Amino acid sequence: MERSFQAAEELVTALRAGAVTSVELTEEAIARIERDDEVINAICVPDFDRARAAAHRADQARARGEDRPLLGIPVTVKESYDIAGLPTNWGMPQHRDYLPAEDAVQVSRLKAAGAVVLGKTNVPLGLQDIQTFNEIYGTTSNPWDHDRTSGGSSGGSAAALASGFGALSIGSDLGGSLRTPAHFCGIYAHKPTLGLAAPRGMVAPPAPPLPVDLDLAVVGPMARTARDLALLLDVMAGPDPLTLGKAHDLTLPPARHERLGDFRVLVLDEHPLIPTGSAVRAGVNRVADALADGGARVERHTPLLPDLTEAATLYMKLLISGSVARFPVDADEQLRTRAAGLSADDQSLDAVRQRAMVFSHRDWMEANNRRELHRHGWRQLFAEFDAVVCPITPTPAFPHDHSPNPLERRLDIDGVEYPYFDQLVWAGLATMPGLPATAIPAGRSAEGLPVGVQLIGPMFEDRTPLRLAELLEQKIGGFQAPKYQAAARPRIRTSTMPARSAASGVSSSAASRRCSPGR
């Protein structure tokens, strides 16, 4: 019996019952990767020899009577996580051969839980795109349509799960990088509350793996079922043992409700800054109808909702100013010249992004203070609602677009073009205040592409959107294995990427890429 698409929870039960061994599961996963990944290109750094050895040790441990949450389960890890003995380069050619000395905290937690790491999954250059491609490893394609993106920056992990390459994966999220690939590939992902899971060792090379508190960015689980997300989050959650872990133990509160009919849900399908495509709107409405049919209280409007325009603007300010702070100093004058050339009347998100590139510390503090007001507004909203259902991006997966300057790319929404990065406003709704958000499958488009939505929950109440995701999975179904298979072709290698040189300044395309959202 092939088990490539079974849930991790089911595989754990089978392993405990002796119905299968970890060696068998691992060999099956490796065989599937070797058979199917030539066209998908999800696994950029295989680690099969060590995976086989780990599977053998897992079977021996189980034979001794040991039992751990993921003992013997094959998993993958996003390339951006340090794994001792494997390269970590974030797709950046200058760091192609960088080898970290130790595992990231989350890799250590996976291994301590007994997981078998099959290898690393592909990422965009510097994790800074809504697609997954780089000069080192090439392009990851969507398993549902190989001419389309798998999303980014955790696109390799999402494509791997949708293709049956392991039962679980771990990714990260700053610009929707867990949720967008899940939406595009038809799987589940959870962006935890900011700070819930320690990110040490998920750092761009060659920076040391220090226990820093990231702004906006989180690490989180990806899976093919809602319950598997909860299983993996329990492994990942908790403070860094070098800092807060010295004094703090994590106790997440239980889900607010166990029955669908007890949930109070706000449904959003319109944003003032970008339209929602018909396929995504249908997905949101499919979930809303299921909630109403299940007896949940469903509302479409509330005065408690923080202003969506200001939320998107604050998100872009915090996102871009944080990213651009890592620019070489000699790029600053060029960026200031560009920002100064903007009309004072231009309040578009493109203009917001360009001004944020030259933020002062005072500017950042002002935006951060406004964020605290939004957080307070969300606390008030979640006193009346348990979750918010809304889009992740306005469209299903779009065709590969590797044009060098992402600021010049356009997103087609039902035949009308919009600035490429404007699609991030929905992801930013949860990211800016640091709220948990669970991405779930919500059907397919007329073209047969997956469509997902996100369930945003109250801060540090991650189990509430996770439980709602599980109940909706029972109601409307969840992951389905891709039906579309294009003719096999060689892995796409990208040759249009702009050079990134700190020594020679930053071209407009390289500058825009450096501040591009991802992670």
Side-chain angles (χ1 to χ4, degrees), residues 78 80-81 90 106 109 127 152-154 169-180 189-203 212-222 233 236-238 315 319 371 375 427-428 430-439 454 459-460 462 518-519:
K78 188 175 181 178
S80 49
Y81 286 88
W90 290 39
Q106 295 303 336
R109 288 177 177 174
L127 312 194
S153 61
S154 307
S169 195
I170 59 174
S172 57
D173 193 307
L174 173 68
S177 288
L178 285 160
R179 293 162 287 163
T180 298
H190 181 70
K191 185 197 88 66
T193 297
L194 181 66
L196 180 62
R200 178 162 50 91
M202 219 290 300
V203 60
V212 296
D213 293 326
L214 301 176
D215 189 32
L216 301 174
V218 300
V219 296
M222 307 178 80
L233 182 66
M236 299 182 73
Y315 171 62
L319 176 68
R371 168 167 53 184
R375 283 176 172 156
T431 300
M432 186 270 289
L435 300 172
T438 306
Q454 61 181 331
M459 185 169 277
F460 290 107
D462 293 55
R519 222 170 157 108

Side-chain angles (χ1 to χ4, degrees), residues 69-227:
L70 302 178
L71 186 58
I73 300 297
V75 306
T76 59
V77 171
K78 188 175 181 178
E79 195 278 344
S80 49
Y81 286 88
D82 287 348
I83 300 181
L86 298 182
T88 298
N89 55 52
W90 290 39
M92 297 186 286
Q94 67 269 36
H95 300 300
R96 178 190 298 268
D97 299 319
Y98 178 75
L99 290 174
E102 62 186 62
D103 289 344
V105 167
Q106 295 303 336
V107 174
S108 297
R109 288 177 177 174
L110 279 177
K111 291 179 177 178
V116 174
V117 178
L118 297 166
K120 290 183 148 195
T121 59
N122 201 18
V123 296
L125 176 68
L127 312 194
Q128 294 183 333
D129 207 339
I130 308 167
Q131 305 171 70
T132 292
F133 64 97
N134 62 77
E135 285 185 346
I136 300 175
Y137 300 122
T139 298
T140 299
S141 294
N142 194 305
W144 288 85
D145 181 342
H146 302 158
D147 292 324
R148 294 175 184 265
T149 181
S150 61
S153 61
S154 307
S157 287
L161 285 166
S163 301
F165 304 161
L168 302 167
S169 195
I170 59 174
S172 57
D173 193 307
L174 173 68
S177 288
L178 285 160
R179 293 162 287 163
T180 298
H183 158 44
F184 286 176
C185 293
I187 64 158
Y188 288 81
H190 181 70
K191 185 197 88 66
T193 297
L194 181 66
L196 180 62
R200 178 162 50 91
M202 219 290 300
V203 60
L210 302 176
V212 296
D213 293 326
L214 301 176
D215 189 32
L216 301 174
V218 300
V219 296
M222 307 178 80
R224 287 188 293 265
T225 72
R227 287 178 63 90

Side-chain angles (χ1 to χ4, degrees), residues 118-436:
L118 297 166
K120 290 183 148 195
T121 59
N122 201 18
V123 296
L125 176 68
L127 312 194
Q128 294 183 333
D129 207 339
I130 308 167
Q131 305 171 70
T132 292
F133 64 97
N134 62 77
E135 285 185 346
I136 300 175
Y137 300 122
T139 298
T140 299
S141 294
N142 194 305
W144 288 85
D145 181 342
H146 302 158
D147 292 324
R148 294 175 184 265
T149 181
S150 61
S153 61
S154 307
S157 287
L161 285 166
S163 301
F165 304 161
L168 302 167
S169 195
I170 59 174
S172 57
D173 193 307
L174 173 68
S177 288
L178 285 160
R179 293 162 287 163
T180 298
H183 158 44
F184 286 176
C185 293
I187 64 158
Y188 288 81
H190 181 70
K191 185 197 88 66
T193 297
L194 181 66
L196 180 62
R200 178 162 50 91
M202 219 290 300
V203 60
L210 302 176
V212 296
D213 293 326
L214 301 176
D215 189 32
L216 301 174
V218 300
V219 296
M222 307 178 80
R224 287 188 293 265
T225 72
R227 287 178 63 90
D228 277 1
L229 283 183
L231 173 68
L232 185 50
L233 182 66
D234 284 345
V235 170
M236 299 182 73
D240 194 305
L242 297 183
T243 55
L244 291 177
K246 295 285 187 184
H248 294 192
D249 287 324
L250 175 69
T251 305
L252 284 176
R256 291 186 175 186
H257 309 292
E258 287 299 315
R259 295 175 56 255
L260 196 61
D262 293 333
F263 276 84
R264 304 162 298 168
V265 182
L266 176 65
V267 174
L268 305 175
D269 64 0
E270 293 183 357
H271 197 284
L273 298 181
I274 196 167
T276 302
S278 56
V280 169
R281 186 185 301 275
V284 172
N285 288 331
R286 193 174 296 117
V287 171
D289 291 345
L291 288 165
D293 186 64
R297 179 187 135 204
V298 177
E299 302 287 346
R300 294 277 186 164
H301 304 280
T302 175
L304 297 172
L305 180 68
D307 182 79
L308 295 182
T309 297
E310 185 182 33
T313 301
L314 286 173
Y315 171 62
M316 290 298 176
K317 288 178 177 179
L318 294 165
L319 176 68
I320 300 302
S321 63
S323 298
V324 84
R326 296 185 289 274
F327 271 33
V329 174
D330 56 5
D332 189 65
E333 183 176 348
Q334 176 187 342
L335 296 176
R336 291 188 182 281
T337 300
R338 289 171 60 190
L342 296 170
S343 166
D345 295 331
D346 188 350
Q347 297 300 312
S348 67
L349 289 177
D350 258 346
V352 169
R353 286 187 284 267
Q354 292 193 47
R355 293 187 185 105
M357 291 183 191
V358 292
F359 256 28
S360 67
H361 185 59
R362 179 186 293 273
D363 293 331
W364 187 89
M365 288 295 294
E366 180 181 344
N368 188 49
N369 289 338
R370 294 298 305 174
R371 168 167 53 184
E372 290 303 330
L373 291 174
H374 275 251
R375 283 176 172 156
H376 183 64
W378 282 107
R379 282 190 287 269
Q380 293 176 310
L381 182 144
F382 283 122
E384 298 295 327
F385 294 92
D386 303 307
V388 175
V389 175
C390 65
I392 297 168
T393 72
T395 70
F398 50 85
H400 297 294
D401 180 358
H402 298 173
S403 51
N405 185 355
L407 293 184
E408 295 176 356
R409 297 180 195 157
R410 292 294 179 264
L411 178 72
D412 184 312
I413 304 177
D414 292 345
V416 181
E417 291 188 341
Y418 295 85
Y420 181 71
F421 285 128
D422 284 9
Q423 64 184 297
L424 293 179
V425 297
W426 283 116
L429 190 60
T431 300
M432 186 270 289
L435 300 172

Side-chain angles (χ1 to χ4, degrees), residues 476-505:
I476 65 173
F479 169 79
Q480 293 182 353
K483 299 294 190 289
Y484 178 89
Q485 289 296 321
R489 62 173 185 256
R491 298 183 181 201
I492 301 170
R493 294 290 170 181
T494 306
S495 59
T496 58
M497 305 286 282
R500 294 161 59 99
S501 170
S504 60

Side-chain angles (χ1 to χ4, degrees), residues 37-66:
D37 199 36
E38 181 66 22
V39 66
I40 302 298
N41 194 26
I43 310 298
C44 62
V45 185
D47 198 20
F48 296 160
D49 288 345
R50 293 200 298 185
R52 289 182 169 108
H56 183 66
R57 290 194 300 271
D59 288 335
Q60 289 179 321
R62 195 169 290 282
R64 293 192 300 268
E66 293 184 28

